[in-house]
Amino acid sequence: MSETLSNPIATQPSSLRPHEVAPLAAEHAREGERDRRLHPKVYEALRGAGFARHFVPARWGGDEGGFLPCFEAVARVAQEDPSAGWCAAVTATLSRMAGFLPEEGQRTVWADGPDAMVVGALVPGGNAQATDGGWVLSGRWPYVSGVHASDFALLAVQVPVPGGDPEVRFLLVPRSAYEIERTWDTVGMRGTGSDTVVLDEVFVPRAHSFLRGELASGRTPGTAPDSLCVPLQNVSGLTFAAPILGAVRGAAEAWSQAVVRKRAARPGPHQGSTVELDLARSAALTDAAELLLARAAADADRGLLADEWAGARAQRDHVAAVDLLLDAVNQLQRTGGTGAQSVHGELQRFWRDANAGAGHAVLQWEPAARRFGAAGLARTAAVDS
């Protein structure tokens, strides 16, 4: 029940090895829930399986990989433990973001190789005071997933601009510069360890920063690895939709196993049972979501998200797919019987993780729908004129 589709969109070669992480993720999933962060062995497996280096430029020893293979690998890990899949996605995505640093900043991150674990906070926090050559950074940044295994953090902050309005920059800080406050205690995605980064007057040189606007617009094609040329808004939903896809696959597997066990315990005809119908509907919704997400990822890899309409369609598809996935997993939880409500069962864990992950800000319907609607109408107007 949990097999992926035979994807009609060709997958580019990838050195990612999710099969090395999946068994460990499954083995330690309950510990991750209890401890509110992944087991150290799972973090190291993510590093060893290539997630940290996937988007790293080749000149630093990285793979310069694509969005589609990353999406597929993350979903595979999340099928065993959605929290591990979430951290895999964040690890890859934040390494892509580190590629926007100036030369000196990139050299600092990857001086010892391409497998540095970078985490980050995209919502501005803290406080930056200007000083010679950079800023002195202090404050708190919550919800930093995977922070307990991090080597560096990229933190968004408003920095002062002489004679003008503040600008939002990402500032790079090494692990030795920040403390971690345990603040993560949620109903789902508990193992992501999304705790709070705390800094107290840490100097960050200008060469260890970049403008948020550069990430939003992407690099100019031909001047950087292809993945850096895609505007963030056009691919950010993939980071968080992929673990949800994996969670729903895991839920389908747990649901199906429970049905098979129940039928084995009660042999004979099952008149009036709707389990076949329930499974068919959930699987169809999941497959539809996967196709939408795979198309969006493949379009990013093909350089097809440069114009506003294509980017808006991709963002819409990320959110629409997650809505389909929630329908699929909620159908399973609702029809799983009393056993599905047991806190010791696997189905409810995947269900909680999927719903918790879908609450992320980039997966909300209204902003994506408004952007797509505006882009679609503008496109029509341009053709008509």
Side-chain angles (χ1 to χ4, degrees):
M1 294 299 98
S2 59
E3 293 182 359
T4 61
L5 289 174
S6 177
N7 202 320
I9 303 170
T11 303
Q12 65 189 79
S14 171
S15 60
L16 286 168
R17 300 179 299 281
H19 59 279
E20 295 180 3
V21 184
L24 274 174
E27 179 183 349
H28 295 288
R30 290 191 178 274
E31 291 174 78
E33 281 226 318
R34 181 196 66 201
D35 298 339
R36 290 177 287 136
R37 61 183 182 185
L38 297 184
H39 191 283
K41 290 182 179 180
V42 179
Y43 280 128
E44 285 309 305
L46 291 175
R47 191 195 303 265
F51 285 96
R53 68 168 58 203
H54 180 70
F55 286 117
V56 174
R59 63 196 184 93
W60 300 114
D63 294 340
E64 286 191 15
F67 292 97
L68 183 56
C70 186
F71 158 74
E72 293 174 336
V74 165
R76 176 65 189 92
V77 173
Q79 187 174 322
E80 306 300 332
D81 179 15
S83 288
W86 188 278
C87 289
V90 168
T91 294
T93 296
L94 266 293
S95 292
R96 186 182 90 92
M97 287 176 56
F100 285 84
L101 287 163
E103 181 78 8
E104 180 183 324
Q106 292 187 40
R107 185 179 295 110
T108 297
V109 175
W110 296 307
D112 296 325
D115 294 311
M117 299 281 271
V118 185
V119 296
L122 274 66
V123 177
N127 178 63
Q129 298 292 329
T131 189
D132 289 345
W135 304 271
V136 174
L137 190 59
S138 298
R140 296 161 52 84
W141 288 261
Y143 311 130
V144 182
S145 298
V147 66
H148 295 277
S150 60
D151 298 307
F152 296 91
L154 278 169
L155 305 175
V157 61
Q158 285 193 338
V159 303
V161 176
D165 294 330
E167 61 186 16
V168 177
R169 283 183 167 268
F170 285 96
L171 274 57
L172 177 75
V173 291
R175 176 65 187 88
S176 59
Y178 53 88
E179 301 293 330
I180 301 172
E181 183 179 336
R182 298 299 302 274
T183 55
W184 185 247
D185 193 8
T186 55
V187 72
M189 291 291 183
R190 291 177 58 82
T192 62
S194 303
D195 287 312
T196 297
V197 165
V198 182
L199 273 72
D200 184 15
E201 295 191 345
V202 174
F203 173 70
V204 180
R206 177 171 286 272
H208 288 191
S209 77
F210 62 89
L211 285 168
R212 184 172 65 176
E214 297 179 44
L215 180 64
S217 61
R219 297 290 193 206
T220 302
T223 65
D226 290 344
S227 74
L228 300 189
C229 300
V230 185
L232 177 64
Q233 195 176 23
N234 299 348
V235 290
S236 58
L238 284 170
T239 301
F240 307 107
I244 296 171
L245 172 62
V248 178
R249 289 180 185 162
E253 185 65 27
W255 185 95
S256 299
Q257 289 175 355
V259 169
V260 169
R261 288 194 298 268
K262 187 182 294 186
R263 287 191 165 183
R266 302 173 185 174
H270 301 278
Q271 295 179 350
S273 173
T274 64
V275 293
E276 292 86 359
L277 304 181
D278 297 332
L279 180 58
R281 177 164 181 76
S282 178
L285 292 168
T286 303
D287 287 354
E290 182 179 352
L291 288 170
L292 282 174
L293 293 169
R295 181 180 70 176
D299 283 353
D301 288 335
R302 294 168 177 168
L304 300 179
L305 301 186
D307 69 83
E308 174 60 12
W309 180 83
R313 186 181 76 165
Q315 183 184 2
R316 179 209 66 187
D317 286 352
H318 303 154
V319 181
V322 167
D323 283 355
L324 291 171
L325 291 169
L326 288 185
D327 287 346
V329 76
N330 290 339
Q331 172 85 6
L332 295 174
Q333 182 67 17
R334 183 177 182 182
T335 59
T338 304
Q341 312 305 320
S342 171
V343 295
H344 304 293
E346 290 296 287
L347 175 55
Q348 57 81 30
R349 175 170 66 88
F350 289 113
W351 172 67
R352 284 187 290 105
D353 285 348
N355 279 274
H360 197 282
V362 303
L363 297 177
Q364 303 312 301
W365 174 249
E366 183 174 342
R370 288 189 181 279
R371 182 190 178 199
F372 175 78
L377 293 173
R379 189 185 195 209
T380 300
V383 170
D384 288 348
S385 63

